Amino acid sequence: MAAARLPHSKMGKMKTDIVIIGSGIGGLCAGALLAHSGYKTIVLERMPIAGGRYTSVKYKGYTVPTASWMLLYGKDDPVYKTLQEVGAPEIEMRGAGTPMARYRISGNIYDWPEKGALRYLLSVASHDEDEVNRVMTALGQAMSEETPSNEISFRDWLFQYTRNEAIHSIFQAQIATWCGMNADELPAGEFIRALLSFRGKSDFRIPKNGLKDIIDALEKVIKENGGEVWKLTAVKQIVVQDGESRSIIAERNGNEMEIEASVVISNIGPKKTIELAGVGNFSESYLREVNEKVRPSVGMDYLFITDKPLLDFPGTLYTTDTRRKVSWSVPTMMWPEHAPNGKHLLHGFAVPRSTLDYDPKEEHDIFMQDLMDVFPDFKKCGGQLLLRRNFCGEWPCTRAWQGYDVTQETPIENLYNVGDGAKPEGWIVGSGAAESGRIVARKIMERIKPWGR
Amino acid sequence: MAIIVNAAKCIGCGSCVLLCPEEALDVSPSFVVEVDSENCTECLTCLDCCSNDALGEST
Ligand SMILES: Cc1cc2nc3c(=O)[nH]c(=O)nc-3n(C[C@H](O)[C@H](O)[C@H](O)COP(=O)(O)OP(=O)(O)OC[C@H]3O[C@@H](n4cnc5c(N)ncnc54)[C@H](O)[C@@H]3O)c2cc1C
Ligand code: SF4
Ligand code: SF4
């Protein structure tokens, strides 16, 4: 029998220090830090589960991420730091070990060595030491002396030093995998900042039950500190008066409720924040900035079931010589319990040639050709599709292209944006979303005291 | 009553697919969600999962 939606009843009212709209990793990091510091925090989530694009669920017996797979920076990751700072118990996680990655370049497969990895891969792709030196010197200078401008794309920046497509393809594979973008879309300066943020810190980790373990831990901290994480609660409006956010109106169990809050943190993306707060409350220039800047990064994501693992290591294989530059992994090499006994998962992720204009069906055909090319034994190994997904629009790879984020502050007092539309410079994807939450939590703690203190 | 998909709005992100308690949804090769009406219990969970306002109920 269908569950009928209840008609609206009289509006309930509440008061709190902090309301967070959306329980993504940005919202939950901010929420856990603030709740742990004594702020009464209420997180409102429209979906039946918390975590947004940064959690995992059981689907047909397999552990499947809602989008994000892993913690990127190991113990330096903003998510990990948050868990530590709020005293969450240690979460069991595994990394890929060595080699962390392999690259298929012109038909051959090479391990990513622990030291001098980039130079090694460029040498393999180039066979011209002068060319490799030119690129490595330029990258070194960009990282240590003058960061290139964001007005030029990374691909155009690299063209100054090489036109070798095999070299370009190595970078394209990394940029597609880690940013959901193409090298001709990513600002050069931002790529260099991302490389710097990764330097010495890249340490990918996956928890035992997927990222759900992290979301559960953050949610627990919020609740143990007097806060709430309400699911199936959709915020309909941010009430703004005299340039300041006062409250939110949400729908929960068919009832409308108003929650008055000292601060409202929006984790639903800068465009939706404007929609809920009312376009009329923002200046023309802010509206223009958000409209021009905030465009989603995208990705075609595939999960296949196989009878045998199609890779013999738990890290990532980047194929730089396929039609799309695809990243492949077998998550069950790291955690066999992510599939039923005797089964394995194969994960593939690719970015369309343009993130602004693509035909998903066409990309699907290209992806399937790449799959058969890289894994000719796919069918023999019982390969079958578990799930294909197109991450874009309102459920994207990131809400803003790397380097095109808006600031966490909004023109409305006590209204902040967190999440992957408000990533700080150099911080990528979910880690960037988490770092935005940490920044906002710090700003609030500097400005406002919790109630009754 | 049945679940209806607005093909123009659905992006095929699979968010509803993962959370349907009956495994009654799937993403088609053209990245539009398909409902298996045999298995759908009309619990409406999927409506709460869609960020793109692509799902509705018909009477
Ligand atoms: C295929 C893929 C792989 C990825 N892999 C990684 C990875 O390995 N590591 C990594 O760090 N990042 C990865 N990312 C990126 C990462 O998933 C995102 O950057 C991150 O999850 C974004 O978090 P967020 O804080 O912006 O919130 P979101 O996840 O966008 O959460 C926002 C929440 O708000 C809720 N909401 C929306 N509107 C309302 C409303 N009106 N009322 C109440 N709630 C509302 C939504 O339901 C949602 O739960 C990947 C992305 C993709 C697509
Ligand atoms: S209404 Fe419930 S059972 Fe039907 S497709 Fe949606 S989530 Fe699945
Ligand atoms: S959640 Fe919405 S956009 Fe995503 S697949 Fe389902 S119906 Fe389509």
Side-chain angles (χ1 to χ4, degrees):
Chain A
M1 231 330 261
R5 306 227 134 176
L6 293 171
H8 290 179
S9 68
K10 214 166 145 250
M11 197 180 317
K13 288 207 175 194
M14 285 178 72
K15 209 171 163 188
T16 186
D17 286 317
I18 314 283
V19 157
I20 302 180
I21 311 172
S23 66
I25 191 63
L28 286 185
C29 282
L33 289 166
L34 287 162
H36 187 252
S37 296
Y39 294 81
K40 167 87 178 153
T41 301
I42 303 183
V43 182
L44 306 171
E45 169 56 54
R46 191 198 54 200
M47 287 174 59
I49 58 165
R53 288 169 287 143
Y54 200 93
T55 186
S56 40
V57 298
K58 275 278 175 207
Y59 175 64
K60 297 188 174 173
Y62 295 83
T63 301
V64 176
T66 51
S68 176
W69 284 84
M70 55 184 95
L71 214 82
L72 303 181
Y73 300 86
K75 295 196 168 173
D76 288 305
D77 197 284
V79 176
Y80 187 86
K81 283 192 199 159
T82 303
L83 290 165
Q84 293 279 297
E85 285 165 26
V86 298
E90 198 68 36
I91 290 170
E92 192 184 351
M93 299 195 210
R94 285 186 190 158
T98 313
M100 187 172 79
R102 285 185 176 141
Y103 280 71
R104 202 177 87 164
I105 300 169
S106 312
N108 297 313
I109 292 180
Y110 304 90
D111 283 3
W112 175 265
E114 278 188 85
K115 287 217 159 66
L118 191 56
R119 174 176 284 278
Y120 168 69
L121 290 185
L122 298 188
S123 304
V124 166
S126 163
H127 306 294
D128 172 355
E129 276 316 295
D130 288 345
E131 181 179 50
V132 174
N133 284 336
R134 221 166 38 238
V135 174
M136 289 305 291
T137 307
L139 278 173
Q141 279 170 353
M143 287 169 80
S144 61
E145 290 163 30
E146 198 174 338
T147 314
S149 153
N150 264 0
E151 300 303 314
I152 175 175
S153 74
F154 179 72
R155 184 166 165 87
D156 281 343
W157 180 86
L158 190 58
F159 267 140
Q160 300 175 104
Y161 310 101
T162 177
R163 297 213 158 239
N164 182 335
E165 270 309 317
I167 290 185
H168 276 267
S169 296
I170 292 173
F171 290 107
Q172 167 63 23
Q174 296 175 334
I175 289 167
T177 303
W178 296 116
C179 301
M181 295 167 71
N182 293 293
D184 58 2
E185 296 169 332
L186 178 66
E190 196 51 22
F191 182 62
I192 298 298
R193 276 186 283 275
L195 281 185
L196 282 168
S197 80
F198 259 128
R199 194 153 65 173
K201 296 187 195 135
S202 72
D203 179 12
F204 309 149
R205 307 242 138 207
I206 302 184
K208 188 172 184 182
N209 302 295
L211 292 175
K212 179 181 188 296
D213 287 346
I214 289 176
I215 296 303
D216 287 349
L218 292 172
E219 189 176 344
K220 191 156 174 253
V221 168
I222 294 172
K223 290 181 176 161
E224 281 175 357
N225 287 281
E228 310 277 358
V229 180
W230 284 341
K231 289 144 205 164
L232 296 172
T233 307
V235 175
K236 303 287 178 191
Q237 192 189 341
I238 301 168
V239 179
V240 178
Q241 269 170 14
D242 305 324
E244 196 178 331
S245 79
R246 304 280 175 170
S247 64
I248 61 89
I249 294 174
E251 189 183 318
R252 179 169 158 81
N253 300 329
N255 297 319
E256 267 199 356
M257 60 191 320
E258 181 166 12
I259 308 178
E260 217 180 288
S262 307
V263 176
V264 174
I265 299 175
S266 170
N267 190 202
I268 62 177
K271 286 190 173 163
K272 286 274 174 200
T273 306
I274 292 173
E275 224 177 277
L276 291 196
V279 176
N281 287 305
F282 297 86
S283 65
E284 282 294 323
S285 61
Y286 184 75
L287 292 174
R288 198 174 328 113
E289 185 196 339
V290 171
N291 257 334
E292 282 172 4
K293 276 175 98 178
V294 180
R295 52 183 99 156
S297 71
V298 310
M300 312 295 298
D301 190 89
Y302 289 81
L303 273 168
F304 301 101
I305 303 168
T306 60
D307 296 333
K308 288 185 199 148
L310 286 184
L311 294 176
D312 62 358
F313 78 119
T316 306
L317 170 69
Y318 296 87
T319 52
T320 71
D321 54 357
T322 33
R323 292 158 192 84
R324 295 290 177 260
K325 313 310 165 202
V326 189
S327 58
W328 309 93
S329 66
V330 174
T332 38
M333 285 297 288
M334 200 181 282
W335 288 108
E337 39 283 79
H338 285 194
N341 249 342
K343 293 288 180 188
H344 280 273
L345 282 168
L346 171 69
H347 175 230
F349 178 79
V351 171
R353 182 58 204 92
S354 160
T355 66
L356 295 173
D357 183 18
Y358 66 98
D359 173 2
K361 175 77 183 71
E362 210 172 284
E363 291 299 322
H364 174 69
D365 295 342
I366 295 173
F367 186 92
M368 294 311 282
Q369 289 175 49
D370 283 339
L371 171 77
M372 294 309 164
D373 169 15
V374 179
F375 302 105
D377 287 343
F378 178 74
K379 290 229 168 86
K380 254 198 256 157
C381 295
Q384 62 184 90
L385 181 71
L386 177 63
L387 184 61
R388 60 167 86 79
R389 289 180 284 182
N390 172 27
F391 287 100
C392 69
E394 285 301 320
W395 205 247
C397 218
T398 59
R399 284 190 201 283
W401 277 8
Q402 191 68 30
Y404 284 76
D405 294 80
V406 298
T407 55
Q408 293 92 33
E409 273 107 351
T410 71
I412 292 172
E413 204 171 329
N414 296 326
L415 174 64
Y416 293 90
N417 275 313
V418 297
D420 60 7
K423 303 178 292 299
E425 278 190 340
W427 287 100
I428 66 168
V429 284
S431 304
E435 185 60 18
S436 73
R438 293 169 58 77
I439 290 173
V440 166
R442 263 198 311 273
K443 284 188 177 156
I444 292 170
M445 287 180 212
E446 282 163 12
R447 287 186 48 229
I448 298 169
K449 283 203 166 61
W451 250 3
R453 286 211 175 173
Chain B
M1 208 190 68
I3 297 299
I4 43 168
V5 182
N6 182 335
K9 286 186 173 177
C10 176
I11 58 166
C13 71
S15 184
C16 58
V17 176
L18 289 182
L19 292 170
C20 167
E22 308 302 330
E23 293 174 359
L25 296 169
D26 205 354
V27 178
S28 78
S30 48
F31 292 89
V32 174
V33 106
E34 286 170 345
V35 188
D36 166 5
S37 50
E38 293 277 296
N39 288 320
C40 170
T41 58
E42 293 164 5
C43 69
L44 304 184
T45 301
C46 49
L47 267 63
D48 294 310
C49 299
C50 183
S51 315
N52 293 284
D53 200 22
L55 295 173
E57 34 178 333
S58 74
T59 42

